[in-house]
Amino acid sequence: ALVLKREIYSRLVATLGVSHQRTLLNGNNLANSLLSLELWVDGIALLRDLLPAARQSLGSNSNIALLISKNIALALDQSPEGTRDDPAFDSHATLRRRDPFQCQHRRRPA
């Protein structure tokens, strides 16, 4: 199955480009499959390749860019080679989207 996932991802890159939303999601799924098989180096490398493309084409706060950032952090946390000194743990990898339903505290007029 992994061979098929790699082939599909390669074809999407060739036809749609690496910055297309479908390609990014498919690449993220491929990386998750690699990580589930404990192929840490390949999975993390793929996620690191996807993140700049996702940020550039969709924006830093897009759901896909945040998903890829989260998966990099989780993979580094679970990987035996990952450390907190890794560049993926920088401030850009941990951006959070603001919750529009979160209560905003305001001062009441006196």
XYZ file of all heavy atoms in Angstrom:
857
model
N 0.816 -1.191 0.000
C 0.000 0.000 0.000
C 0.861 1.257 0.000
O 0.485 2.266 -0.595
C -0.922 0.002 1.199
N 2.008 1.186 0.669
C 2.887 2.345 0.730
C 3.427 2.709 -0.653
O 3.548 3.892 -0.983
C 4.039 2.080 1.711
C 4.903 3.275 2.081
C 4.065 4.372 2.709
C 5.994 2.839 3.040
N 3.696 1.698 -1.461
C 4.179 1.940 -2.820
C 3.115 2.695 -3.620
O 3.429 3.646 -4.356
C 4.555 0.605 -3.513
C 4.912 0.829 -4.966
C 5.686 -0.072 -2.761
N 1.860 2.312 -3.460
C 0.771 2.996 -4.162
C 0.619 4.439 -3.675
O 0.396 5.345 -4.486
C -0.540 2.247 -3.978
C -0.661 0.915 -4.718
C -1.960 0.228 -4.328
C -0.593 1.128 -6.211
N 0.725 4.660 -2.387
C 0.610 6.017 -1.848
C 1.728 6.908 -2.387
O 1.490 8.069 -2.720
C 0.645 5.998 -0.318
C -0.635 5.505 0.300
C -0.598 5.636 1.804
C -1.909 5.158 2.391
N -2.031 5.423 3.809
N 2.930 6.362 -2.476
C 4.045 7.140 -3.029
C 3.817 7.463 -4.499
O 4.096 8.574 -4.949
C 5.366 6.376 -2.875
C 5.900 6.359 -1.476
C 7.225 5.620 -1.437
N 7.622 5.285 -0.100
C 8.723 5.733 0.487
N 9.525 6.533 -0.152
N 9.019 5.375 1.713
N 3.290 6.505 -5.243
C 3.013 6.716 -6.662
C 1.940 7.777 -6.867
O 2.068 8.660 -7.723
C 2.591 5.392 -7.317
C 2.295 5.489 -8.787
C 3.500 5.849 -9.626
O 4.639 5.535 -9.232
O 3.296 6.462 -10.697
N 0.882 7.715 -6.074
C -0.187 8.712 -6.168
C 0.359 10.096 -5.832
O 0.074 11.079 -6.532
C -1.364 8.335 -5.251
C -2.060 7.083 -5.787
C -2.348 9.482 -5.114
C -3.051 6.472 -4.821
N 1.148 10.197 -4.780
C 1.723 11.482 -4.398
C 2.613 12.029 -5.519
O 2.520 13.212 -5.863
C 2.507 11.354 -3.093
C 3.212 12.634 -2.712
C 2.481 13.742 -2.282
C 4.592 12.740 -2.802
C 3.114 14.917 -1.948
C 5.238 13.914 -2.468
C 4.492 15.003 -2.049
O 5.132 16.178 -1.728
N 3.438 11.170 -6.102
C 4.321 11.605 -7.197
C 3.524 12.117 -8.389
O 3.882 13.131 -9.000
C 5.213 10.455 -7.657
O 6.062 10.060 -6.621
N 2.445 11.452 -8.707
C 1.610 11.895 -9.832
C 0.906 13.214 -9.526
O 0.752 14.049 -10.419
C 0.612 10.816 -10.210
C 1.286 9.642 -10.876
C 0.301 8.624 -11.374
N 1.023 7.464 -11.878
C 0.531 6.640 -12.757
N -0.685 6.821 -13.238
N 1.240 5.618 -13.163
N 0.463 13.383 -8.293
C -0.161 14.653 -7.923
C 0.839 15.803 -8.004
O 0.496 16.895 -8.461
C -0.761 14.576 -6.522
C -2.051 13.786 -6.375
C -2.433 13.651 -4.910
C -3.174 14.449 -7.153
N 2.061 15.561 -7.563
C 3.102 16.593 -7.667
C 3.338 16.938 -9.135
O 3.448 18.117 -9.496
C 4.414 16.135 -6.985
C 5.554 17.080 -7.323
C 4.225 16.025 -5.481
N 3.385 15.920 -9.982
C 3.642 16.157 -11.405
C 2.482 16.876 -12.097
O 2.711 17.723 -12.972
C 3.920 14.827 -12.106
N 1.253 16.558 -11.723
C 0.109 17.152 -12.421
C -0.381 18.453 -11.788
O -0.650 19.417 -12.499
C -1.075 16.162 -12.486
O -1.416 15.760 -11.165
C -0.733 14.956 -13.332
N -0.497 18.499 -10.471
C -1.063 19.672 -9.803
C -0.016 20.612 -9.220
O -0.301 21.770 -8.962
C -2.017 19.238 -8.679
C -3.205 18.374 -9.085
C -3.986 17.934 -7.850
C -4.101 19.132 -10.047
N 1.179 20.087 -8.961
C 2.228 20.867 -8.317
C 2.235 20.623 -6.818
O 1.232 20.211 -6.236
N 3.352 20.915 -6.205
C 3.525 20.619 -4.779
C 2.699 21.554 -3.898
O 2.375 21.220 -2.764
C 5.016 20.658 -4.391
C 5.562 22.071 -4.362
C 5.238 19.969 -3.057
N 2.300 22.712 -4.405
C 1.578 23.692 -3.596
C 0.065 23.524 -3.621
O -0.636 24.250 -2.930
C 1.917 25.104 -4.076
O 3.289 25.344 -3.925
N -0.438 22.602 -4.394
C -1.884 22.404 -4.480
C -2.400 21.753 -3.193
O -1.739 20.901 -2.595
C -2.225 21.528 -5.692
C -3.672 21.510 -6.031
N -4.561 20.665 -5.410
C -4.390 22.241 -6.912
C -5.768 20.864 -5.909
N -5.685 21.827 -6.832
N -3.592 22.150 -2.785
C -4.170 21.653 -1.542
C -4.282 20.132 -1.518
O -3.966 19.489 -0.515
C -5.550 22.289 -1.346
C -6.217 21.915 -0.061
C -7.525 22.664 0.142
O -7.872 23.545 -0.627
N -8.238 22.297 1.183
N -4.705 19.542 -2.620
C -4.835 18.076 -2.681
C -3.490 17.382 -2.549
O -3.357 16.358 -1.882
C -5.488 17.685 -4.012
C -6.676 16.782 -3.821
C -7.388 16.552 -5.108
N -6.987 15.246 -5.629
C -7.269 14.813 -6.840
N -7.939 15.573 -7.668
N -6.909 13.628 -7.219
N -2.472 17.967 -3.184
C -1.124 17.400 -3.095
C -0.598 17.483 -1.671
O 0.001 16.525 -1.160
C -0.167 18.140 -4.049
O -0.708 18.128 -5.366
C 1.200 17.504 -4.066
N -0.820 18.623 -1.026
C -0.343 18.793 0.349
C -1.015 17.814 1.302
O -0.353 17.214 2.154
C -0.590 20.235 0.809
C 0.262 21.293 0.102
C -0.272 22.682 0.381
C 1.721 21.172 0.515
N -2.317 17.637 1.157
C -3.026 16.689 2.018
C -2.576 15.254 1.764
O -2.387 14.468 2.694
C -4.535 16.810 1.817
C -5.188 18.024 2.466
C -6.642 18.141 2.033
C -5.084 17.944 3.974
N -2.388 14.921 0.490
C -1.927 13.579 0.147
C -0.516 13.347 0.674
O -0.203 12.264 1.175
C -1.993 13.375 -1.365
C -1.837 11.942 -1.752
O -0.714 11.456 -1.841
N -2.950 11.271 -1.981
N 0.334 14.357 0.567
C 1.694 14.248 1.106
C 1.689 14.087 2.613
O 2.474 13.313 3.172
N 0.805 14.818 3.291
C 0.676 14.671 4.734
C 0.236 13.255 5.094
O 0.754 12.657 6.033
C -0.318 15.708 5.268
C -0.457 15.636 6.758
O 0.472 15.951 7.490
N -1.622 15.213 7.218
N -0.719 12.705 4.341
C -1.176 11.334 4.597
C -0.064 10.320 4.346
O 0.080 9.353 5.104
C -2.392 11.014 3.731
C -3.612 11.795 4.150
O -3.689 12.303 5.255
N -4.568 11.910 3.236
N 0.718 10.542 3.300
C 1.856 9.661 3.019
C 2.864 9.722 4.165
O 3.361 8.693 4.630
C 2.513 10.033 1.696
C 3.825 9.331 1.352
C 3.650 7.818 1.303
C 4.378 9.862 0.035
N 3.142 10.936 4.639
C 4.085 11.087 5.753
C 3.568 10.384 7.002
O 4.337 9.728 7.714
C 4.329 12.564 6.032
N 2.268 10.483 7.272
C 1.692 9.782 8.427
C 1.833 8.274 8.290
O 2.081 7.577 9.275
C 0.227 10.169 8.613
C 0.064 11.537 9.216
O 0.976 12.059 9.849
N -1.090 12.127 9.012
N 1.682 7.762 7.061
C 1.873 6.324 6.841
C 3.318 5.927 7.102
O 3.588 4.887 7.719
C 1.486 5.950 5.411
O 0.119 6.160 5.199
N 4.252 6.758 6.648
C 5.674 6.477 6.895
C 5.971 6.490 8.395
O 6.682 5.622 8.906
C 6.542 7.506 6.168
C 6.535 7.445 4.648
C 7.178 8.694 4.059
C 7.243 6.195 4.151
N 5.409 7.469 9.085
C 5.650 7.580 10.531
C 5.020 6.426 11.297
O 5.587 5.949 12.278
C 5.130 8.919 11.046
C 5.848 10.154 10.493
C 5.101 11.416 10.892
C 7.291 10.192 10.943
N 3.865 5.960 10.849
C 3.220 4.832 11.535
C 4.037 3.550 11.381
O 3.937 2.651 12.210
C 1.793 4.630 11.036
O 1.797 4.147 9.713
N 4.849 3.485 10.323
C 5.748 2.351 10.130
C 7.124 2.601 10.767
O 8.059 1.836 10.556
C 5.921 2.066 8.631
C 4.657 1.606 7.914
C 4.891 1.566 6.406
C 4.226 0.249 8.424
N 7.204 3.701 11.524
C 8.430 4.114 12.212
C 9.567 4.413 11.234
O 10.738 4.234 11.551
C 8.835 3.113 13.280
C 7.801 3.004 14.385
C 8.209 2.101 15.525
O 9.320 1.536 15.496
O 7.391 1.963 16.453
N 9.217 4.889 10.060
C 10.207 5.378 9.095
C 10.358 6.882 9.342
O 9.920 7.726 8.556
C 9.760 5.077 7.663
C 9.601 3.593 7.342
C 8.959 3.396 5.987
C 10.960 2.894 7.406
N 10.963 7.212 10.494
C 11.010 8.572 10.999
C 11.696 9.537 10.044
O 11.174 10.629 9.796
C 11.708 8.607 12.358
C 11.115 7.691 13.367
C 11.670 6.551 13.867
C 9.824 7.801 13.990
N 10.803 5.957 14.763
C 9.670 6.703 14.858
C 8.787 8.726 13.893
C 8.539 6.513 15.632
C 7.652 8.530 14.659
C 7.538 7.440 15.518
N 12.848 9.158 9.533
C 13.630 10.067 8.691
C 12.846 10.443 7.441
O 12.760 11.624 7.082
C 14.999 9.428 8.339
C 15.764 10.292 7.351
C 15.823 9.208 9.601
N 12.266 9.460 6.772
C 11.501 9.736 5.550
C 10.245 10.547 5.835
O 9.927 11.488 5.100
C 11.105 8.426 4.857
C 12.300 7.661 4.327
O 13.356 8.289 4.103
O 12.173 6.439 4.137
N 9.518 10.196 6.880
C 8.286 10.907 7.219
C 8.529 12.356 7.604
O 7.841 13.267 7.129
N 9.521 12.582 8.455
C 9.833 13.945 8.893
C 10.372 14.766 7.726
O 10.011 15.942 7.565
C 10.821 13.912 10.082
C 10.122 13.327 11.319
C 11.362 15.303 10.379
C 11.039 13.020 12.482
N 11.199 14.161 6.889
C 11.734 14.887 5.724
C 10.608 15.321 4.787
O 10.604 16.451 4.286
C 12.741 14.016 4.985
N 9.644 14.447 4.553
C 8.523 14.797 3.681
C 7.701 15.926 4.291
O 7.345 16.889 3.601
C 7.640 13.573 3.425
C 6.404 13.800 2.565
C 6.765 14.409 1.218
C 5.649 12.497 2.379
N 7.414 15.847 5.572
C 6.656 16.913 6.225
C 7.397 18.242 6.159
O 6.791 19.294 5.941
C 6.359 16.539 7.683
C 5.336 15.436 7.897
C 5.329 14.982 9.355
C 3.952 15.890 7.472
N 8.709 18.204 6.335
C 9.505 19.435 6.253
C 9.514 20.016 4.844
O 9.637 21.223 4.669
C 10.928 19.175 6.719
C 11.010 19.057 8.204
C 12.438 18.982 8.634
N 12.505 18.956 10.075
C 13.503 18.446 10.752
N 14.518 17.915 10.119
N 13.503 18.472 12.057
N 9.412 19.165 3.849
C 9.320 19.658 2.471
C 7.947 20.270 2.198
O 7.829 21.224 1.422
C 9.573 18.523 1.471
C 11.023 18.073 1.459
O 11.888 18.822 1.954
O 11.278 16.965 0.953
N 6.914 19.729 2.815
C 5.553 20.200 2.585
C 5.253 21.523 3.285
O 4.492 22.342 2.762
C 4.546 19.153 3.075
C 4.503 17.825 2.343
C 3.585 16.857 3.071
C 4.044 18.023 0.909
N 5.836 21.737 4.447
C 5.479 22.899 5.256
C 5.723 24.232 4.554
O 4.822 25.077 4.530
C 6.181 22.850 6.613
C 5.775 23.915 7.610
C 4.271 23.886 7.876
C 6.538 23.743 8.911
N 6.880 24.486 3.959
C 7.060 25.772 3.270
C 6.083 25.973 2.107
O 5.593 27.083 1.902
C 8.505 25.726 2.766
C 9.176 24.676 3.554
C 8.115 23.696 3.962
N 5.792 24.901 1.389
C 4.847 25.009 0.276
C 3.451 25.337 0.793
O 2.734 26.159 0.204
C 4.822 23.715 -0.520
N 3.057 24.716 1.904
C 1.738 24.983 2.481
C 1.647 26.418 2.991
O 0.642 27.100 2.775
C 1.452 23.998 3.619
N 2.686 26.892 3.654
C 2.681 28.263 4.163
C 2.647 29.284 3.035
O 1.961 30.293 3.122
C 3.905 28.499 5.038
C 3.799 27.853 6.385
C 5.014 28.152 7.214
N 4.882 27.595 8.542
C 5.891 27.453 9.385
N 7.101 27.828 9.026
N 5.689 26.947 10.574
N 3.415 29.009 1.985
C 3.487 29.960 0.878
C 2.181 30.007 0.090
O 1.704 31.079 -0.260
C 4.639 29.606 -0.054
C 4.832 30.611 -1.160
C 6.025 30.273 -2.028
O 6.566 29.179 -1.961
N 6.428 31.209 -2.844
N 1.595 28.865 -0.187
C 0.407 28.847 -1.039
C -0.894 29.072 -0.272
O -1.825 29.667 -0.805
C 0.325 27.537 -1.815
O 0.157 26.450 -0.941
N -0.971 28.609 0.976
C -2.224 28.689 1.724
C -2.181 29.654 2.903
O -3.220 29.988 3.455
C -2.615 27.296 2.234
C -2.739 26.209 1.163
C -2.971 24.865 1.817
C -3.846 26.548 0.184
N -0.985 30.047 3.316
C -0.832 30.936 4.467
C -0.432 30.172 5.715
O -0.744 28.990 5.868
N 0.244 30.857 6.613
C 0.754 30.219 7.835
C -0.341 29.717 8.755
O -0.147 28.776 9.510
C 1.639 31.187 8.608
O 2.793 31.477 7.876
N -1.498 30.370 8.719
C -2.584 29.983 9.615
C -3.623 29.086 8.961
O -4.697 28.872 9.523
C -3.279 31.225 10.179
C -2.448 31.891 11.242
O -1.621 31.270 11.883
N -2.647 33.185 11.420
N -3.314 28.554 7.796
C -4.264 27.649 7.142
C -4.310 26.328 7.908
O -3.352 25.932 8.574
C -3.860 27.389 5.693
O -2.711 26.577 5.642
N -5.441 25.663 7.826
C -5.600 24.383 8.526
C -4.544 23.375 8.097
O -4.043 22.612 8.928
C -6.994 23.807 8.280
C -8.063 24.553 9.026
O -7.795 25.196 10.027
N -9.284 24.474 8.530
N -4.214 23.351 6.812
C -3.244 22.364 6.317
C -1.841 22.679 6.837
O -1.122 21.779 7.275
C -3.288 22.294 4.783
C -4.651 21.764 4.338
C -2.170 21.419 4.237
C -4.890 21.794 2.848
N -1.448 23.948 6.813
C -0.119 24.320 7.324
C -0.011 24.006 8.814
O 1.019 23.502 9.282
C 0.160 25.791 7.058
N -1.074 24.292 9.561
C -1.059 23.992 10.992
C -1.042 22.482 11.247
O -0.378 22.012 12.176
C -2.264 24.633 11.677
C -2.251 26.166 11.703
C -3.570 26.692 12.234
C -1.092 26.687 12.519
N -1.753 21.722 10.421
C -1.757 20.269 10.543
C -0.363 19.697 10.300
O 0.117 18.847 11.060
C -2.757 19.664 9.558
C -2.829 18.145 9.488
C -3.386 17.578 10.786
C -3.681 17.727 8.307
N 0.300 20.183 9.262
C 1.654 19.703 8.949
C 2.613 20.079 10.074
O 3.441 19.267 10.497
C 2.111 20.250 7.584
C 1.260 19.648 6.466
C 3.586 19.946 7.345
C 1.454 20.307 5.103
N 2.491 21.307 10.593
C 3.345 21.736 11.714
C 3.140 20.835 12.925
O 4.101 20.427 13.583
C 3.021 23.179 12.105
O 3.338 24.065 11.080
N 1.882 20.548 13.220
C 1.571 19.676 14.363
C 2.158 18.288 14.154
O 2.737 17.695 15.072
C 0.062 19.585 14.565
C -0.347 18.687 15.718
C -1.818 18.420 15.725
C -2.079 17.327 14.729
N -3.333 16.629 14.828
N 2.044 17.757 12.931
C 2.562 16.415 12.660
C 4.085 16.368 12.744
O 4.645 15.358 13.168
C 2.062 15.923 11.307
C 0.601 15.554 11.356
O 0.054 15.289 12.413
N -0.057 15.544 10.208
N 4.753 17.458 12.351
C 6.210 17.505 12.521
C 6.553 17.447 14.003
O 7.422 16.680 14.426
C 6.804 18.778 11.877
C 6.720 18.709 10.355
C 8.261 18.970 12.306
C 7.114 20.003 9.658
N 5.874 18.252 14.798
C 6.148 18.270 16.236
C 5.883 16.912 16.881
O 6.686 16.432 17.680
C 5.313 19.359 16.906
N 4.766 16.291 16.521
C 4.452 14.968 17.072
C 5.476 13.921 16.641
O 5.880 13.078 17.445
C 3.050 14.534 16.651
C 1.895 15.300 17.275
C 0.574 14.884 16.631
C 1.854 15.090 18.772
N 5.889 13.980 15.383
C 6.866 13.008 14.887
C 8.203 13.182 15.593
O 8.849 12.194 15.963
C 7.035 13.166 13.376
N 8.621 14.425 15.800
C 9.885 14.657 16.497
C 9.801 14.227 17.954
O 10.778 13.751 18.526
C 10.279 16.125 16.393
C 10.702 16.581 15.006
C 10.870 18.086 14.974
C 11.969 15.881 14.568
N 8.626 14.386 18.540
C 8.441 13.965 19.925
C 8.501 12.449 20.049
O 9.055 11.919 21.006
C 7.104 14.496 20.438
C 6.878 14.162 21.892
O 7.782 14.435 22.709
O 5.796 13.633 22.217
N 7.936 11.741 19.094
C 7.886 10.279 19.142
C 9.145 9.616 18.598
O 9.453 8.487 18.951
C 6.671 9.777 18.372
C 5.367 10.197 18.997
C 4.170 9.880 18.128
O 4.307 9.361 17.029
N 2.987 10.212 18.605
N 9.851 10.313 17.735
C 11.036 9.744 17.103
C 12.178 9.611 18.106
O 12.405 10.509 18.912
C 11.477 10.655 15.953
O 12.778 10.347 15.541
N 12.914 8.523 18.036
C 14.064 8.383 18.931
C 15.171 9.391 18.620
O 15.952 9.736 19.487
C 14.563 6.959 18.695
C 13.710 6.366 17.658
C 12.671 7.334 17.251
N 15.205 9.905 17.386
C 16.236 10.866 16.994
C 15.832 12.305 17.267
O 16.650 13.202 17.233
C 16.565 10.743 15.498
C 17.168 9.424 15.102
C 16.103 8.405 14.721
O 14.981 8.810 14.374
O 16.390 7.202 14.779
N 14.545 12.574 17.489
C 14.057 13.942 17.658
C 14.445 14.534 18.989
O 14.467 13.852 20.011
N 14.765 15.823 18.979
C 15.095 16.532 20.210
C 14.377 17.868 20.234
O 13.904 18.355 19.218
C 16.610 16.796 20.321
O 16.983 17.712 19.299
C 17.418 15.532 20.195
N 14.348 18.489 21.382
C 13.754 19.820 21.507
C 14.615 20.875 20.818
O 14.164 21.977 20.570
C 13.580 20.194 22.973
C 12.420 19.519 23.594
C 11.182 20.251 23.199
N 10.033 19.658 23.854
C 8.808 19.941 23.522
N 8.558 20.789 22.568
N 7.817 19.377 24.140
N 15.874 20.564 20.522
C 16.753 21.511 19.839
C 16.501 21.533 18.345
O 17.115 22.308 17.633
C 18.224 21.149 20.091
C 18.575 21.234 21.560
O 17.961 22.071 22.254
O 19.445 20.471 22.005
N 15.604 20.692 17.878
C 15.308 20.616 16.456
C 14.659 21.909 15.978
O 13.829 22.477 16.667
C 14.372 19.434 16.195
C 14.387 19.036 14.752
O 13.805 19.793 13.949
O 14.967 17.997 14.432
N 15.029 22.396 14.782
C 14.460 23.650 14.277
C 12.954 23.619 14.066
O 12.323 24.664 13.991
C 15.166 23.865 12.941
C 16.168 22.811 12.786
C 16.026 21.838 13.910
N 12.343 22.458 13.970
C 10.896 22.390 13.766
C 10.123 22.827 15.002
O 8.938 23.073 14.928
C 10.479 20.990 13.364
N 10.791 22.940 16.140
C 10.130 23.389 17.353
C 10.217 24.901 17.523
O 10.054 25.418 18.597
C 10.737 22.708 18.590
C 10.215 21.330 18.816
C 10.979 20.231 18.504
C 8.950 21.132 19.330
C 10.498 18.949 18.717
C 8.458 19.856 19.541
C 9.234 18.764 19.227
N 10.470 25.642 16.430
C 10.548 27.094 16.526
C 9.153 27.698 16.673
O 8.142 27.018 16.649
C 11.278 27.689 15.326
C 10.492 27.558 14.032
O 9.381 26.993 14.063
O 10.987 28.022 13.010
N 9.099 28.995 16.811
C 7.816 29.659 17.065
C 6.871 29.553 15.879
O 5.664 29.566 16.049
C 8.053 31.126 17.412
O 8.680 31.775 16.322
N 7.388 29.445 14.665
C 6.518 29.363 13.495
C 5.808 28.012 13.421
O 4.732 27.917 12.858
C 7.307 29.587 12.207
C 7.873 30.965 12.123
N 7.078 32.072 11.978
C 9.141 31.408 12.193
C 7.843 33.148 11.943
N 9.089 32.769 12.075
N 6.399 26.979 13.982
C 5.783 25.650 13.918
C 4.665 25.491 14.935
O 3.923 24.537 14.879
C 6.841 24.573 14.140
N 4.547 26.438 15.854
C 3.543 26.282 16.898
C 2.500 27.389 16.858
O 1.891 27.703 17.869
C 4.225 26.258 18.282
O 4.961 27.470 18.446
C 5.116 25.056 18.429
N 2.305 27.987 15.700
C 1.288 29.025 15.580
C -0.084 28.444 15.871
O -0.396 27.339 15.471
C 1.281 29.607 14.160
C 2.458 30.482 13.800
C 2.367 30.861 12.332
C 2.502 31.735 14.646
N -0.899 29.204 16.552
C -2.244 28.743 16.857
C -3.250 29.697 16.237
O -3.074 30.898 16.240
C -2.477 28.700 18.360
C -1.691 27.620 19.018
C -2.089 27.511 20.460
N -1.286 26.475 21.070
C -1.204 26.299 22.357
N -1.869 27.072 23.168
N -0.457 25.335 22.856
N -4.288 29.127 15.748
C -5.365 29.921 15.182
C -6.246 30.430 16.320
O -6.548 29.709 17.254
C -6.174 29.068 14.221
C -7.243 29.860 13.514
C -7.911 28.996 12.539
N -7.107 29.017 11.325
C -7.540 28.558 10.182
N -8.701 28.008 10.086
N -6.792 28.622 9.119
N -6.653 31.670 16.226
C -7.500 32.268 17.252
C -8.912 31.711 17.156
O -9.484 31.628 16.085
C -7.522 33.767 17.053
C -8.149 34.510 18.165
C -8.000 35.964 17.903
N -8.482 36.709 19.036
C -8.586 38.006 19.045
N -8.221 38.695 18.004
N -9.024 38.621 20.098
N -9.458 31.341 18.287
C -10.811 30.789 18.343
C -11.815 31.934 18.285
O -11.860 32.773 19.187
C -10.996 29.996 19.632
C -12.353 29.318 19.722
O -13.144 29.412 18.753
O -12.611 28.693 20.752
N -12.640 32.008 17.226
C -13.574 33.129 17.110
C -14.681 33.094 18.157
O -15.338 34.096 18.389
C -14.152 32.962 15.703
C -13.979 31.534 15.375
C -12.749 31.084 16.115
N -14.895 31.962 18.799
C -15.954 31.844 19.800
C -15.443 32.051 21.222
O -16.210 31.989 22.167
C -16.638 30.487 19.683
C -17.272 30.282 18.347
C -16.713 29.417 17.429
C -18.414 30.981 17.993
C -17.286 29.239 16.184
C -18.991 30.807 16.753
C -18.430 29.935 15.846
N -14.152 32.274 21.340
C -13.587 32.473 22.665
C -14.056 33.820 23.224
O -14.082 34.827 22.530
C -12.057 32.442 22.591
C -11.396 32.518 23.935
C -9.886 32.410 23.801
O -9.350 32.484 22.715
N -9.212 32.251 24.913
N -14.408 33.829 24.458
C -14.917 35.035 25.108
C -13.793 36.060 25.232
O -12.704 35.754 25.709
C -15.464 34.677 26.489
S -16.085 36.095 27.390
N -14.059 37.244 24.788
C -13.098 38.332 24.914
C -13.479 39.177 26.139
O -14.582 39.703 26.212
C -13.107 39.206 23.657
C -12.741 38.471 22.396
C -11.312 37.975 22.434
O -10.429 38.660 22.937
N -11.077 36.785 21.894
N -12.578 39.291 27.087
C -12.858 40.046 28.295
C -12.641 41.528 28.012
O -11.617 41.935 27.528
C -11.967 39.584 29.448
C -12.197 38.158 29.809
N -13.316 37.763 30.492
C -11.484 37.028 29.569
C -13.279 36.453 30.677
N -12.183 35.986 30.122
N -13.664 42.306 28.340
C -13.595 43.753 28.136
C -13.849 44.451 29.463
O -14.585 43.961 30.300
C -14.657 44.204 27.119
C -14.435 43.630 25.771
C -15.473 44.188 24.822
N -15.476 43.318 23.630
C -16.542 43.082 22.924
N -17.695 43.585 23.230
N -16.463 42.302 21.867
N -13.261 45.610 29.566
C -13.531 46.408 30.766
C -14.901 47.039 30.635
O -15.275 47.533 29.589
C -12.503 47.505 30.891
C -11.209 47.050 31.405
C -10.375 48.253 31.645
N -9.415 47.966 32.679
C -8.508 48.798 33.066
N -8.432 49.991 32.524
N -7.664 48.475 33.996
N -15.601 47.031 31.723
C -16.904 47.684 31.748
C -16.708 49.151 32.120
O -15.895 49.471 32.982
C -17.821 47.014 32.772
C -18.201 45.639 32.378
C -19.168 45.064 33.368
N -19.475 43.696 32.988
C -20.183 42.898 33.719
N -20.673 43.288 34.877
N -20.430 41.669 33.309
N -17.476 50.010 31.480
C -17.362 51.429 31.847
C -17.797 51.641 33.296
O -18.746 51.021 33.769
C -18.295 52.155 30.887
C -18.888 51.122 30.001
C -18.408 49.774 30.418
N -17.110 52.522 33.962
C -17.427 52.795 35.379
C -18.616 53.699 35.543
O -19.143 54.332 34.752
C -16.227 53.416 36.063
